[in-house]
Amino acid sequence: MPLPTALAHRTQTRTAPCLPLLPEGAQHGLGDGLALGRVHEACGPARHRFALWLAAQTTGPVIWITPDWNTENLNPCGFAPFVDPARLLLVHAKRPDDVLWSMEEVLRSGTVPLVIADLPGLPGLTPVRRMHLAAENGGAGKGQAPLGLLLTPGMGGAQGVESRWHLSTDHKGTPGRWTLTRLRARTAPERAWEITRQPGQPLPRVSATIKAA
């Protein structure tokens, strides 16, 4: 049954605010970025760098939640070229469930533009749905909604996320090259790009689109 004219018009013209992933990314098929008010996932060996690329394009504080037993600590000297270390507020959770609970509460508060959770495993569908709802409520009447980013091990696979991205190094003898793959998105197909560091610039650029095999 066709939609009423007014509803169909709203459905076609409605666009969600996004946080850009990389400068000029839209020109290379990356779209407008990651939708705000939603929870996304980044996996792969360079997933922490992916999170820093997003943080570099926000203003204000960024909350990064990690398990208290995590042996991979953030190095301020390493991420200073992307983000002022003073902007990062680190939360060390005592239990795995506390990581998800903390992220949900921060998203609901709507006090920061970006919340990152470094997870030891994959979350269930119910916690992800709760975080989506919290992010939507966090933006209600407060301007732009926050964005949640889950960092997951391996190839990821969290259920219910808005999009899933994989980032790995691809230096080929020259430092500063990565392969970025969009593994899942609600409104876009799987696709991959070559990313290259730009001298003197905090963020890299898309240098090529990798054709599907």
Side-chain angles (χ1 to χ4, degrees):
M1 183 176 68
L3 292 171
T5 303
L7 180 57
H9 179 72
R10 283 202 303 271
T11 302
Q12 293 169 3
T13 59
R14 177 178 174 270
T15 56
C18 295
L19 177 64
L21 177 53
L22 289 172
E24 302 174 357
Q27 301 177 18
H28 300 276
L30 280 168
D32 295 328
L34 277 63
L36 300 178
R38 306 297 291 168
V39 175
H40 304 261
E41 179 184 10
C43 57
R47 61 189 180 277
H48 296 90
R49 185 175 294 271
F50 181 97
L52 291 172
W53 290 349
L54 288 181
Q57 298 186 87
T58 65
T59 58
V62 172
I63 292 185
W64 194 306
I65 307 166
T66 184
D68 194 40
W69 61 92
N70 194 346
T71 58
E72 297 180 353
N73 296 318
L74 293 173
N75 182 353
C77 294
F79 65 74
F82 304 97
V83 183
D84 181 355
R87 291 182 54 211
L88 255 63
L89 304 178
L90 303 180
V91 176
H92 296 274
K94 296 294 185 181
R95 302 177 303 167
D97 288 347
D98 292 339
V99 178
L100 300 175
W101 178 86
S102 299
M103 185 172 193
E104 181 181 337
E105 291 301 306
V106 175
L107 288 171
R108 183 176 291 109
S109 72
T111 55
V112 299
L114 176 63
V115 188
I116 302 164
D118 201 346
L119 300 178
L122 299 181
L125 178 58
T126 298
V128 173
R129 285 176 171 172
R130 289 178 60 92
M131 287 185 284
H132 280 310
L133 183 59
E136 293 172 3
N137 292 338
K142 301 177 182 178
Q144 288 192 332
L147 185 148
L149 180 66
L150 302 175
L151 303 181
T152 55
M155 293 297 292
Q159 300 181 63
V161 293
E162 185 75 11
S163 67
R164 179 180 303 119
W165 303 81
H166 182 278
L167 185 65
S168 60
T169 55
D170 187 22
H171 297 323
K172 297 180 180 177
T174 303
R177 294 170 60 94
W178 300 268
T179 297
L180 174 66
T181 305
R182 182 174 58 211
L183 296 176
R184 179 189 186 280
R186 293 183 183 274
T187 59
E190 182 175 338
R191 196 170 178 183
W193 298 265
E194 290 181 2
I195 311 298
T196 305
R197 178 183 299 157
Q198 301 297 302
Q201 299 296 322
L203 290 172
R205 295 293 193 276
V206 177
S207 53
T209 299
I210 300 174
K211 294 182 179 180

